[in-house]
Amino acid sequence: MPAADDAESRRAAVVADATIGEVDWATPPRGTVVSRFSAPSGELAMWSMGEASRPRVLLVPGATGSKEDFALLGPLLVAAGYRVDSFDIAGQYESADAGPAEGRRYDYDLFVDDLVAVLTAGGPAHVLGYSFAGTVAELAAVRRPDLMLSLTLLTAPPLAGQAFRGIRLIGWLSRFTTAHQGAGLMIWGIVTNKNKVGPNRLAFVRSRFRLTSRAAVDDIISLMRRTPDVTGELRATGIPVLVATGEHDLWPVEQHARFAERLGAELVVYRTGHSPCETAPNQLAHDMLRLFERAEA
């Protein structure tokens, strides 16, 4: 795409994002097929948009999230000629009954096994991993690079090890809290609207907690305290990677920039917070489509 055309397209995306109003987050976008997928951990709730014959995009939400987080992004990718799938990861929202065998905990292998199963069933895809799911997607890419056409890491933890230590302002507190306490603080921040979302979004995320497994959230927070470092292995796969974040994400932009540099990835930063898929979907779609073009060239 010529530089002038790309700049104009980006400006149009910024304008479109500025006009987003209230959204009915609980209702699937027009034309969405709602289904269940039998994964290793159990039945996962799934949305699919677009024609099955088109190149595939898989959008994976993180802790306390769900497929609905991509209600604005998905249709934009479909309009650009792609098939879009998304699913609630085990323990979250409408996949709350999926999880480990009795007596076991949610672990990285469980989430990676599920993601690999979804990719294997539907074929290779451009994958977006959002927040915690970014780490899961990195691990899946290293295990099965043949299943990923490209990888977008959306506000994914940019630090290995105890990833919460790098969170702006309050990262130091994570040294003194348990995983259960950390999960409780995160849930409290969401339900009390510390993210300053609109009334429809707030009502939806509050209702989502009635189904989401608290044990799953606790275990995910525990896993994020042991974030694996696979940057070298991921870079060696040659999979094109995009690191996308907001100016006001949990982790400072500088940490995401260093993360992108280690991966040999492009970095894009939006004037938003932890959830560009909700607040800057047009800009995110613009940059993802550029990534797809490079990957498919």
Side-chain angles (χ1 to χ4, degrees):
M1 180 182 295
D5 292 345
D6 182 64
E8 181 58 33
S9 175
R10 185 178 297 279
R11 282 193 292 270
V14 171
V15 171
D17 286 334
T19 62
I20 295 173
E22 282 294 295
V23 176
D24 180 3
W25 293 96
T27 302
R30 184 185 299 274
T32 299
V33 175
V34 178
S35 64
R36 309 285 294 183
F37 178 80
S38 295
S41 73
E43 295 287 310
L44 304 179
M46 178 172 280
W47 279 3
S48 299
M49 311 175 195
E51 297 176 11
S53 61
R54 293 176 172 180
R56 188 182 185 210
V57 180
L58 181 61
L59 308 174
V60 190
T64 76
S66 66
K67 58 201 173 301
E68 286 79 3
D69 296 343
F70 306 113
L72 298 180
L73 177 63
L76 297 173
L77 300 175
V78 169
Y82 289 86
R83 154 84 169 198
V84 176
D85 295 326
S86 184
F87 65 94
D88 299 347
I89 65 173
Q92 310 302 299
Y93 194 37
E94 294 178 328
S95 296
D97 292 336
E102 186 175 355
R104 297 181 64 87
R105 308 292 291 268
Y106 293 83
D107 58 20
Y108 279 116
D109 282 341
L110 179 148
F111 293 111
V112 174
D113 287 346
D114 281 357
L115 177 52
V116 169
V118 172
L119 285 167
T120 301
H126 298 283
V127 176
L128 178 148
Y130 177 19
S131 196
F132 167 72
T135 302
V136 174
E138 291 171 50
L139 293 168
V142 168
R143 183 192 296 183
R144 291 294 306 273
D146 57 305
L147 293 175
M148 288 203 188
L149 304 176
S150 71
L151 176 58
T152 299
L153 300 174
L154 180 64
T155 58
L159 300 178
Q162 211 288 62
F164 295 112
R165 73 184 187 279
I167 289 180
R168 62 177 79 233
L169 298 180
I170 62 172
W172 62 275
L173 280 174
S174 62
R175 293 184 297 165
F176 307 104
T177 57
T178 65
H180 181 75
Q181 290 169 332
L185 285 170
M186 180 174 69
I187 293 169
W188 171 80
I190 293 170
V191 299
T192 57
N193 203 20
K194 295 299 182 287
N195 295 328
K196 296 182 173 60
V197 301
N200 286 1
R201 180 68 186 173
L202 181 60
F204 173 69
V205 297
R206 284 174 171 171
S207 69
R208 194 160 58 182
F209 280 118
R210 290 199 289 267
L211 295 179
T212 294
S213 164
R214 175 60 191 269
V217 179
D218 287 357
D219 284 353
I220 288 174
I221 297 303
S222 178
L223 291 172
M224 293 177 72
R225 291 169 176 258
R226 306 188 306 276
T227 300
D229 184 359
V230 294
T231 51
E233 296 166 85
L234 179 54
R235 184 168 185 165
T237 66
I239 296 170
V241 179
L242 175 70
V243 173
T245 189
E247 289 182 355
H248 309 292
D249 183 40
L250 301 173
W251 291 275
V253 170
E254 293 76 15
Q255 294 180 18
H256 288 287
R258 289 193 291 270
F259 183 44
E261 183 177 10
R262 294 197 303 274
L263 287 168
E266 180 184 0
L267 172 71
V268 290
V269 182
Y270 310 113
R271 301 187 69 177
T272 183
H274 189 62
S275 306
C277 53
E278 302 162 27
T279 54
N282 290 278
Q283 295 169 74
L284 178 58
H286 171 274
D287 292 321
M288 289 178 69
L289 291 170
R290 289 175 61 246
L291 175 70
F292 299 171
E293 288 176 2
R294 295 196 301 275
E296 296 167 2

